[in-house]
Amino acid sequence: MKLLVILYVTALVVAAPPPSTTNPENSKNVEILKFYNDNSGLGTYNFGYEQSDGTRQEQLGEINNVDSETGSLRVKGSFTWIGPDGVSYTVTYVANEDGYNPQIEQGPGGAVPAGVLASLAG
């Protein structure tokens, strides 16, 4: 059970979106457009939000093999933000017993070379 708690906390920390790098003046006026948080209390949860500055996140978590000593947490999700260059960046990930596996995408006009994105995604 301690392993499940450790995996859960690790997944939440790893999956958190990066801090906003937008203009501080604009970030004072950011509004939450959508928010949901469903937790069954039995090992599954689903949450997400969307903000007026283009930042959004969605995440679904579930415990595999609940009745087993080898139970583990599987988390799937994504987060998106608008960089200071005005480009939309999205990280889609799966975190499970095999580790954290992200895929990074950037919108049109993105300045990060494909090789750098591939190295960041592992």
Side-chain angles (χ1 to χ4, degrees):
M1 189 57 139
K2 288 182 183 178
L3 175 62
L4 291 176
V5 172
I6 291 170
L7 286 173
Y8 177 74
V9 171
T10 301
L12 288 178
V13 170
V14 170
S20 175
T21 57
T22 58
N23 181 342
E25 286 301 312
N26 292 340
S27 64
K28 290 179 184 177
N29 299 320
V30 174
E31 295 179 11
I32 297 174
L33 303 176
K34 180 170 82 169
F35 176 80
Y36 60 91
N37 185 8
D38 301 316
N39 189 330
S40 71
L42 301 172
T44 60
Y45 67 91
N46 185 16
F47 83 90
Y49 63 88
E50 184 175 347
Q51 297 178 171
S52 60
D53 67 351
T55 302
R56 62 183 180 269
Q57 180 174 6
E58 297 178 315
Q59 189 174 92
L60 171 67
E62 59 189 2
I63 296 178
N64 297 327
N65 303 321
V66 175
D67 298 328
S68 166
E69 292 272 333
T70 60
S72 62
L73 181 65
R74 175 181 295 153
V75 177
K76 294 169 61 173
S78 67
F79 56 91
T80 300
W81 74 99
I82 308 298
D85 54 3
V87 175
S88 172
Y89 296 91
T90 300
V91 177
T92 303
Y93 57 88
V94 174
N96 57 24
E97 61 275 357
D98 296 326
Y100 178 66
N101 300 298
Q103 293 184 345
I104 304 169
E105 298 175 25
Q106 59 185 340
V112 181
V116 173
L117 287 178
S119 69
L120 292 172

